[in-house]
Amino acid sequence: MGEFFKKNRPALLYAASLIFWLAVWQLAGALVNEQIFIASPLSVFERLLELMRTRDFYDSVLRTMGLICLGFALAAVLGSALGWLGCKSRAAKTLLSPIMGVIKATPVASFIILAFILVGSRRLSALIAFLMVLPVFYSNVLTALESLPARRFEAADVFGMLPRDRFRFIYLPGLAPYFLSASGIGLGMAWKSGVAAEVIGLAAGSIGRRLYEAKLNLDTAGLFAYTLVVVLLSLALEKLLRLLLERLESRLLKS
């Protein structure tokens, strides 16, 4: 028993913490005793099961997830490319620096309203997710590249290392931690900003629209249920992405 606890201690502690906060939530709901203000965990779970029996639920989840993942993927590719360009060219870095600073400093709500006027609500969540995640990948990749020791490249020049080997043994180990960090932070930001854009833009058939409708109908349990879905999807996709990136890194280093 002691060996089992020692081996699985982090998971058990996390589960205990989760149970504690669920109990606090249940107690708060019992004290307020008004489902319209605080829906209990049981009522939220029942509402979630009810929603999962409808086709609209899955359509909304798939639409929102697809658009947010699209915005995130585009930001990861373009942000990494711009980070590389900024490292290689001082002029490019100088040119890109104010733009990235403005994107990071501008309130998300301002971007959502401006983008809504320009592109409408249909793909608004993808655009907002893209804009919010772009500076994260740019700054992380730029920092990673600028942190690579110059002596490694000098040694590579001396031994005539091929470009492929330079990427595997110099760039990849230096980039991987920063890219993983950007992925974790960026994916969470993409979900938060993307769903917020759907709520403000009232995008048809989206999770954001369902959240807005739940608010109008005073369906607190439904509001909590859709919020729970967003949190679980964000966490699950972050774990899956991290696993895939770590396996890809391992395979590249071994090949």
Side-chain angles (χ1 to χ4, degrees), residues 157-168:
D157 292 335
V158 170
F159 292 103
M161 185 177 287
L162 297 174
R164 181 186 64 181
D165 293 329
R166 286 176 185 246
F167 174 76
R168 287 174 57 199

Side-chain angles (χ1 to χ4, degrees), residues 214-225:
K215 185 206 74 168
L216 287 182
N217 297 324
L218 300 179
D219 180 14
T220 308
L223 183 65
F224 275 58

Side-chain angles (χ1 to χ4, degrees), residues 56-207:
D56 287 344
F57 172 81
Y58 295 100
D59 289 343
S60 299
V61 169
L62 290 175
R63 172 182 170 77
T64 295
M65 184 168 62
L67 289 172
I68 287 175
C69 288
L70 174 62
F72 172 83
L74 292 174
V77 173
L78 184 59
S80 299
L82 292 176
W84 184 281
L85 181 62
C87 177
K88 297 300 180 182
S89 170
R90 185 178 296 274
K93 180 181 178 181
T94 303
L95 189 64
L96 290 169
S97 181
I99 297 298
M100 295 300 170
V102 167
I103 293 175
K104 286 191 289 186
T106 302
V108 180
S110 299
F111 269 127
I112 293 172
I113 295 170
L114 290 171
F116 178 67
I117 295 172
L118 294 174
V119 303
S121 64
R122 188 172 181 181
R123 294 181 177 84
L124 182 62
S125 57
L127 177 58
I128 295 302
F130 168 79
L131 287 173
M132 293 300 103
V133 177
L134 181 67
V136 177
F137 276 96
Y138 170 78
S139 59
N140 274 38
V141 170
L142 179 62
T143 301
L145 292 173
E146 290 180 339
S147 301
L148 293 175
R151 62 179 181 275
R152 294 186 181 180
F153 294 99
E154 294 171 358
D157 292 335
V158 170
F159 292 103
M161 185 177 287
L162 297 174
R164 181 186 64 181
D165 293 329
R166 286 176 185 246
F167 174 76
R168 287 174 57 199
F169 299 115
I170 299 178
Y171 286 109
L172 186 59
L175 277 169
Y178 289 88
F179 195 86
L180 283 172
S181 176
S183 298
I185 296 170
L187 196 55
M189 291 179 62
W191 274 99
K192 290 178 184 179
S193 58
V195 172
E198 291 178 344
V199 173
I200 295 176
L202 295 178
S206 66
I207 290 180

Side-chain angles (χ1 to χ4, degrees), residues 19 21 23 35 62-63 72-73 80 91 105 126 174 181 187 191 210 212 216 225 237 239-241 249-250:
I19 292 171
W21 287 113
Q35 291 291 318
L62 290 175
R63 172 182 170 77
F72 172 83
S80 299
S181 176
L187 196 55
W191 274 99
R210 304 301 177 203
Y212 183 79
L216 287 182
L237 288 174
K239 295 292 184 184
L240 179 61
L241 181 61
E249 179 191 3
S250 177

